[in-house]
Each structure stands twice: as structure tokens, then as C-alpha cells.
Amino acid sequence: MSIIYILIPIAMLFVLIAVGVFFWAVRTEQFDDLDRQGASILFEEETPKAPLSGKSSSNNNEADKR
Amino acid sequence: MSKQPCFHCNEPVLTGSQFITQIDGVDQVMCCPGCQAVSQAIVDAGLLSYYKYRTEPGSRQTALIPESLNHFSAYDLPEVQQDFVQERDGREEVTLSIDGITCAACAWLIEHKLQKLDGVERIQVNSTTQRAFIRWQPALVKLSYILSAIGSIGYNAAPFQLDDQEVISKRNSRRFLLRLGLAGFATMQVMMFALALYAGYFTDLETEFRDYFRWVSMIFAAPVVFYSAQPFYFSAIRAILSGKLNMDVSVSIAICGAYIASCVATIQGTGEVYFESVSMFTFFLLLGRYFEQNARQKASVSSSNLHKLVPLTASLVTAQGIEEVPAKKLQVGDIILVSPGDVVAADGKIVEGISGINESMLTGEQLPISKAPGAEVFAGTINLEQPIRVEVTAIGQDQLVAEIIRLQELASNAKPAIALTADKLARYFSATILTIAAMTYVVWRQFAPEDAFWVTLSVLVATCPCALALATPTAVTCATGLFTRLGIISRNGSVFEKLPKIKTVVFDKTGTLTCGSFSFGDIKLFEGLEKSRALAIASALEQGSLHPIARLFARIPTKLEVTRQHHLVGAGVEGIIEGIRYLIGSAEYLKVPSEMIFPGQWVYLGTRNNVLAAFEIQDKLRDDAKETVAALKAKHIELQIASGDTSAHLQQVASTLGITKVNGGLKPKGKLELVESLRSNNTLVAMFGDGINDAPVLAGADLSVAMGSGSAIAKNSADLILLGDHLHRFVEAMNIAVKTNQIIRQNLAWALGYNMLILPLAVTGHVVPYIAAIGMSASSLIVVGNSLRLLRLKP
């Protein structure tokens, strides 16, 4: 049973780390917009190479940059 | 004839519309050129993922985007920018409020569209608050260009005025989340050790380990008591200092008392410990507060977003010519040039030119008022017909608009705050608990002095106000969520209590009951002229005018050529088409014989000698005005109309809708007096309005409802905002509010019932810590679960 004298302080250390992580996450505004971040994994970071609309996006970048 | 909804915004596609965008190789039907342009822009930019992953349809693009593009240039003036743009090492930063964000896909779409612009360094869109943070290099790209890029994919972006409330509530929300999270972590840990301690009640736990667990619990509970529970202490101290009692007083006494007593018990190794109760107690209470805080923050964010900063610029007449300056730079005595279509930048007197001025923002009336040199014009009104020169007579706080805003502030200060049932209940509850606790202590002192303190403590802990504290906020949060789904923004929690009690509803007419724009009614034809021909002639004559009635005609496609067009301000237009001189305008202008003058508002088309056609012009009722009025009547609510209008149209609207009490010709102050006199009979009055002229009365009514298309200042003083201008939503809101009140009452009844049950047990000393903990969490969870039933309502 006396093992708990070691295990419980270790558990406390873990909780302390978890609380620290939580505080950091709140401070860095990670809880400000939950819908957005949940969906962000779905979107490609790069624009699709050849969208099937028959127009390639790279040609149109010129228009955007005027 | 397609039954398919618009691919972009999901609105029904009206027959005969031919707006098609090719998306992913498939021709998709759109409902309007706006949606078509937007979807084309999205496809062209290679942002197809938007359509793939969006969870909500886009917002409707009825306002054609190209028209609004030229309005952004004023945002580039340095004097205008200093209000909302921050400069940081050669880069400029701005936070914009964006209309039309419906889901996370919109945020992604805007980010990707803007990242492609040269000079935009960082763009971050928050879909919850509907805002974007942008950092750009002013050398490479202008703010107006960024705004128009956002406009081209169908969103409307503008800088906004941050609500003071929002700054405070954002800080509070974050702090609440920290406190809540910490309390959650600590409660979980303490509860684990508490379970081990409970086991000790039934088996024998060695004292050595029991004390060890207690010490560990004490350490874990410390941050909860010293950090998480702080708001309760402050609120309790404030209440006591002002000589009142509130729930937080008994809460604070319970938390501090239980913690200190448990610490003493731990150190001495005697008695009971309540660490898990204290932590859970704090956690549940904070949960309720956090819900409340969140609902409040959502409201303040949406009201900030409604407060768009539209830079008002003026063309100042100087010795060198015309100079574009921000309106706030104007001085009394300056001469400004106001072109047709421009907003008058300051109160002043016309010194040159005759024109029709649209004063709808002040009076609610769409028809322009003719003004000649010497007449007064007011800031915010729109010049429609001819260029005029205006001498500025008042600036800033001396202007008419500022006066209306002052009236609004006075009205909102005079509005009595409604004492919420939950708050009243809390006060009695606290007083009762503290009295019972004191009595328990006194009585136990007589019989068993050594137990007196512990029993009193268990009374304070067991009579958990958690369920009571959660009863209202959870229900209000769920109902607010429902409202948002319906397109109603509720700006404070008291609306749910007020809505079912409404006895009188007062409507503004123009822009509220009616659409606030003109449409054709009856068309009478003489001399054998065909309708299409008459409309084509009228349209040709009215091309190029900004008068709202002229714009109605000008929308009709026409191939006819007009020569020698001549406008007569406030009367009509004449011009030569195919060799014949035609006139269009008022009855006086055409010298119409009296037998051809019909009741209502008519525009006549004719030649020099005879009348060819007469068009009835009306401000159409909103589609759902009739059913809304009928539904409200069915609820036995008294209905009235209060309008600035004096014309026959007012009576016509009232008789169509079946509203008998009509008050016409009211100025902002008159409307306010009307509502105040209604309120003096102790009835709750709701007011609907949309314009600047309604702002004071909206602030003064018990419950005020603004239309989403209304002016920012009207929305600012409203409790409810109907996005999308569906009047009928108000009736639905009333039904939801009734349900919400039922749920709140059930919650309160349950919380009080639980306390009645546990109180005798606690007073007689039968409540041990684990009973207190189980009762507390069970009662709180039942309240939360009951509130969640609201979300199952089908709006």
C-alpha cells in the first residue's frame, strides 16, 4: 500500500501539467472559435491542382493580383 | 420552371430565373444574379472545397454586389482609418465584422480568397464571432480593395464599433473558463480520493491512509477555493456592503466554512471532511455562471457587429475647388457640395440648388421632401435629385441625430429594470437558509455542543443552491440557441421572462409592417394604350433619377430613346419619345381633371392634352404581416400602430391588417410618450421599429424588437433583433419563451423540492459528506438535463 506515497504525487504532477496545458490553450485563444477549428481538417491547405470546373485556378490568380 | 432550390443559398428559385454556374462540371441553378456572381467567383478562385464541406447554405445575395463596390473608397482616407486601423512596424492591422458567415466553410473561403491577394500578410476569420483579423502592407494593397475582395465572394465586411460591454465580457469569459476548467480538474481528483474515503465508511480504512487521502484532497481543493470561487466572494461582499442578501452570501459562507472546517478536521484527524462537496459545489455554480456569461457575450458580440462604422465623407467647397474630407472635420460655416445619391454629412441650410431629400431615417417616410435654398437639411438624410450646396450650421453633438440619440439614452435610463424571478427567489432562499442554519446551531448548542458546528455546516453544504443557480442560466442558454437558429438575436436574458407577459404591441409602419420600398398597385390605362407600352414609356422617362418612385419605373427594361429630358423637382419629368412629348409625375404636374384623381398614391403618364395611364404606387405590406397580426390577436394582445406618416396609406394598412388603434404623425418624442402612457396602465408594452426615429421609443418600451434591416441605432436599443425581417418569428419567439418559462419553473420547483427534502435530514444531523455530494450532483444534473429538453423543440 505504501507505494501510493510515490504514485499519488506523480499523479498530482500529471494533473498540474494538464492544468498548465489547459491554461495555455485558453490564453492562446484556442477556445474562441470551436466550429472553425473542428472543420479545418477537411479543407486542403493548397488549392486543388485542377478543379473540375474546367478552369484551372492558377490562371485566375492573375486576375486576383491585378 | 424548376423546383430545385438555389445551390448557393438554398432559397427557392423563382420561375424564369436563368442564373447558372458550372460547379464541378455540373450546371447548378442560382436564385439571383448575386448568388450567381458569388458562386462564379468562388469557382474561379479554385475554392471548391467550400461547397464540399459547408454545413449551412450561404447567405442570400439579393443586394447586387457590384453596386456596393464603389462605397469602399472612403475607407482609405487616413482620417477615417485612424478610428479602427492600427499600424505596427510598417504593417496595418484591422478587425472587421463580416455579415453572411453561416458556417466554418465561409471562414475558410474568406481566408483563402484573401491570402491570394498581394500584400495581405495575415488573415484569420473567426466564424463564431463573425469577424476577421487582417494584417496587410499598405504599400501593396488598399483596405478598400480588401473589402471589395470580400464583397466579391458574397460577404459584407466593415469595421465596427466595439461595444464597451464586449471588452469587459470577453475578459470575463476567459477568466470564467479558466476558473471552470481548474475547478473541473480539481473536482475530478478530489472525487477520486473521496470515493476511497467513502469506502472507509463501509470497510475499515487505516487511519494513516485516511489522513493521507484527506491531505491530498485538501491540496487539490485549495486552488478551487482560493482561485475558482473568487467571483462568489466578491459578489457576496458587494451584496453585504449594500445591505442586501443574495445567493452568493450563503454560497460563500458554505464554501469557506466547509473548507476551513475540513482543513481543521484534516490537521487534527477528527470529524468529517467536505472537500469533494466544496469542489463540486464550486464547479456546478461556475458552470451556471459560465452559461450566463457566454449568452451575454454572444449578445454583446452580435450587437458590436451590428454597430458598423460607415465613414461619412463630405465634399468641402474650398477656394481651390472641391476637397473630400471626413465629416467630423467639418466646421460650422463650411460650404459642402452634396451630389445626388450622397448622404448629407452635417446639419445645415441649403444655400444653392433645389432638390428632393429622402428623410426616411428621421421620419420613416420614403417619399422625398422638396427643399429650396434656405431650407434646413439634416445629417444622415439622402439627397436624391439635384446637386445642392449646404452651409453647415451644426456639427457633432448639436445635430438632430445626436439629439435623438440623447433622447434614446434618457429613455433607456428611465426604463425600470425588471426584477427576475430567479433573483427574487435567491434572496428569500438565502435568507431562509441562513436563518435555519443559525437556528440549527443555537438548538444543537443546547443539546450536543461538540456536534453543533458540524451539523450547521452540513445544513449549509447540503442545501445546495447549485440546482437553483443552474435553473435559469441553462434554460436561457438553450432558448438563446433556439432563437439564434430562428434568426432572432436576443440581447438580454430578461426577454424570456417578459415575452409571455406582453399585453400590448405597438408597430411602426414603414419598414416594419411594410417593406419600406415601393411597388406597383393598380394600373389604369386610358386612350387605348397598352400596359407594356405605358410602362416602357414611363421607364424611359424615369431613367437616371434617384427618386424612389422613379427607380421603381426605371427597373423595367425599355428600348425607347428619350430626348430633351427635363426634370422638375418634386413634380415630374418630361421628355420626347418618338416625336411625342410625354409627361410623367403628380396629378398637379399633369393638370389631371378631378374625376381622374383616385384615392391613394398615383403617378400619371400623359401628353400635354390628355392622360394616358395612372399607376398606383404602394409600400407593400410584409408577406407575414397579416398572419403575425392574426396570431397576436389570437393571443388576446392589444395592437396599435405608431407612425410618423399621416397619409391615407396608414389607414389603409391598419384596415387591411385589422388594427383599430392608429396613431399617425408622431415624431420620435411623440412615439415615446405614447408608449409611456400605455405603460402607465401597468401593462407590458412591446414595440417594433426599424429607423433612427424609433430608437428612443425602442429604448423606452418594456420589450423592443428591431428589424434586422433597420438602422444600427435602432438595433442598439432593441432587446430582440429579427434577422431577415420575418415578423412571424416574433410569434414563434413568444411560444419558445412560454416553454422556456415552464422549464425554468420546473427547474426551480425541483431545486426547491430537493432542498425541502434534504433540509430536515441536515438539521437532524443525518447528512454525511457522501450523501451531500450525491444529492448535489444529482440535483444539478437533473436541472441541466431538463433544460436540454428545450433544444428538442422544433422551431
Side-chain angles (χ1 to χ4, degrees), chain B residues 722-742:
Chain B
L722 302 179
L723 298 176
D725 297 350
H726 300 287
L727 280 174
H728 198 259
R729 299 256 166 96
F730 179 71
V731 181
E732 283 153 21
M734 281 183 115
N735 297 336
I736 292 176
V738 171
K739 276 274 184 326
T740 309
N741 274 315
Q742 278 172 5

Side-chain angles (χ1 to χ4, degrees), chain B residues 355-409:
Chain B
S355 182
I357 309 281
N358 175 337
E359 293 196 338
S360 63
M361 50 119 347
L362 296 174
T363 61
E365 287 321 298
Q366 290 292 334
L367 278 182
I369 296 162
S370 294
K371 301 211 169 189
E376 285 193 334
V377 290
F378 302 103
T381 56
I382 304 164
N383 178 21
L384 291 178
E385 285 160 355
Q386 306 286 341
I388 49 174
R389 286 179 184 233
V390 173
E391 183 188 344
V392 178
T393 56
I395 45 168
Q397 286 305 306
D398 304 330
Q399 300 187 124
L400 192 65
V401 177
E403 203 162 311
I404 293 179
I405 294 174
R406 275 198 291 278
L407 190 61
Q408 173 202 7
E409 277 167 6

Side-chain angles (χ1 to χ4, degrees), chain B residues 490-506:
Chain B
S490 65
R491 293 189 54 223
N492 62 47
S494 66
V495 292
F496 298 100
E497 200 136 328
K498 287 180 200 165
L499 267 170
K501 296 185 190 150
I502 296 287
K503 290 275 177 291
T504 313
V505 174
V506 183

Side-chain angles (χ1 to χ4, degrees), chain B residues 127-197:
Chain B
S127 63
T128 310
T129 54
Q130 310 204 336
R131 287 182 192 164
F133 171 83
I134 302 172
R135 181 188 299 146
W136 76 98
Q137 297 177 14
L140 292 173
V141 68
K142 279 187 167 150
L143 180 58
S144 57
Y145 186 65
I146 294 175
L147 291 174
S148 61
I150 297 176
S152 74
I153 47 169
Y155 301 92
N156 179 6
F160 58 96
Q161 177 93 52
L162 206 60
D163 221 278
D164 304 342
Q165 229 184 345
E166 190 192 335
V167 182
I168 299 165
S169 82
K170 187 173 169 151
R171 209 178 34 230
N172 279 345
S173 281
R174 186 164 301 179
R175 245 187 244 154
F176 259 111
L177 188 58
L178 289 175
R179 292 185 206 281
L180 182 71
L182 184 73
F185 276 114
T187 305
M188 286 190 259
Q189 300 303 315
V190 175
M191 209 65 224
M192 277 198 304
F193 295 109
L195 276 175
L197 290 172

Side-chain angles (χ1 to χ4, degrees), chain B residues 50-112:
Chain B
Y50 167 72
Y51 286 117
K52 225 182 276 179
Y53 298 119
R54 63 181 179 168
T55 53
E56 299 285 337
S59 60
R60 199 186 161 126
Q61 304 299 335
T62 32
L64 259 181
I65 290 136
E67 280 181 26
S68 56
L69 286 188
N70 47 16
H71 291 320
F72 293 131
S73 56
Y75 285 112
D76 292 336
L77 289 173
E79 292 95 337
V80 171
Q81 282 201 356
Q82 71 188 25
D83 285 344
F84 50 84
V85 175
Q86 279 88 38
E87 199 180 345
R88 201 171 299 174
D89 37 271
R91 309 281 182 270
E92 299 201 320
E93 295 176 353
V94 72
T95 306
L96 300 172
S97 134
I98 300 187
D99 284 350
I101 294 187
T102 53
C103 67
C106 298
W108 175 86
L109 183 67
I110 296 167
E111 284 184 10
H112 279 250

Side-chain angles (χ1 to χ4, degrees), chain B residues 387-503:
Chain B
I388 49 174
R389 286 179 184 233
V390 173
E391 183 188 344
V392 178
T393 56
I395 45 168
Q397 286 305 306
D398 304 330
Q399 300 187 124
L400 192 65
V401 177
E403 203 162 311
I404 293 179
I405 294 174
R406 275 198 291 278
L407 190 61
Q408 173 202 7
E409 277 167 6
L410 279 176
S412 66
N413 292 341
K415 187 171 171 174
I418 183 166
L420 295 176
T421 319
D423 296 346
K424 277 189 279 196
L425 203 73
R427 211 170 305 143
Y428 292 125
F429 181 83
S430 275
T432 317
I433 293 300
L434 290 174
T435 319
I436 290 175
M439 274 162 46
T440 312
Y441 185 73
V442 171
V443 175
W444 276 81
R445 277 306 293 213
Q446 310 298 325
F447 300 105
E450 68 281 2
D451 289 334
F453 177 75
W454 292 107
V455 173
T456 311
L457 191 67
S458 77
V459 168
L460 283 172
V461 173
T463 53
C464 158
C466 300
L468 209 54
L470 286 168
T472 316
T474 49
V476 165
T477 306
C478 293
T480 309
L482 267 185
F483 271 23
T484 313
R485 241 189 289 166
L486 274 177
I488 304 169
I489 295 180
S490 65
R491 293 189 54 223
N492 62 47
S494 66
V495 292
F496 298 100
E497 200 136 328
K498 287 180 200 165
L499 267 170
K501 296 185 190 150
I502 296 287
K503 290 275 177 291

Side-chain angles (χ1 to χ4, degrees), chain A residues 1-9 11-13 15-16 18-20 22-24 26-48 51-61 63-66, chain B residues 22-25 40 43-50 52-54 104-108 111-113 115-118 124-129 145 170 174-175 177-182 185-186 189 193 205-206 208-209 212-213 216 219-220 227:
Chain A
M1 254 320 246
S2 56
I3 189 71
I4 60 172
Y5 286 110
I6 298 165
L7 288 182
I8 287 177
M12 287 167 97
L13 193 69
V15 172
L16 207 65
V19 168
F22 173 74
F23 269 51
W24 166 81
V26 173
R27 293 248 157 87
T28 51
E29 306 192 353
Q30 301 201 29
F31 286 90
D32 282 13
D33 186 5
L34 298 171
D35 333 340
R36 167 93 178 89
Q37 304 312 336
S40 58
I41 191 167
L42 295 171
F43 296 106
E44 300 99 339
E45 272 316 297
E46 297 300 320
T47 47
L52 301 172
S53 67
K55 298 190 173 190
S56 83
S57 55
S58 52
N59 300 349
N60 286 299
N61 283 358
D64 279 337
K65 289 178 180 172
R66 252 178 251 174
Chain B
Q22 201 181 53
I23 295 169
D24 235 0
Q40 194 61 55
V43 171
D44 292 351
L47 301 173
L48 277 175
S49 296
Y50 167 72
K52 225 182 276 179
Y53 298 119
R54 63 181 179 168
C106 298
W108 175 86
E111 284 184 10
H112 279 250
K113 171 81 183 170
Q115 269 160 5
K116 293 182 175 170
L117 299 182
D118 270 352
Q124 207 176 4
V125 180
N126 181 330
S127 63
T128 310
T129 54
Y145 186 65
K170 187 173 169 151
R174 186 164 301 179
R175 245 187 244 154
L177 188 58
L178 289 175
R179 292 185 206 281
L180 182 71
L182 184 73
F185 276 114
Q189 300 303 315
F193 295 109
L205 180 72
E206 286 166 51
E208 180 200 358
F209 289 123
Y212 178 46
F213 289 150
V216 175
I219 293 168
F220 272 123
Y227 175 70

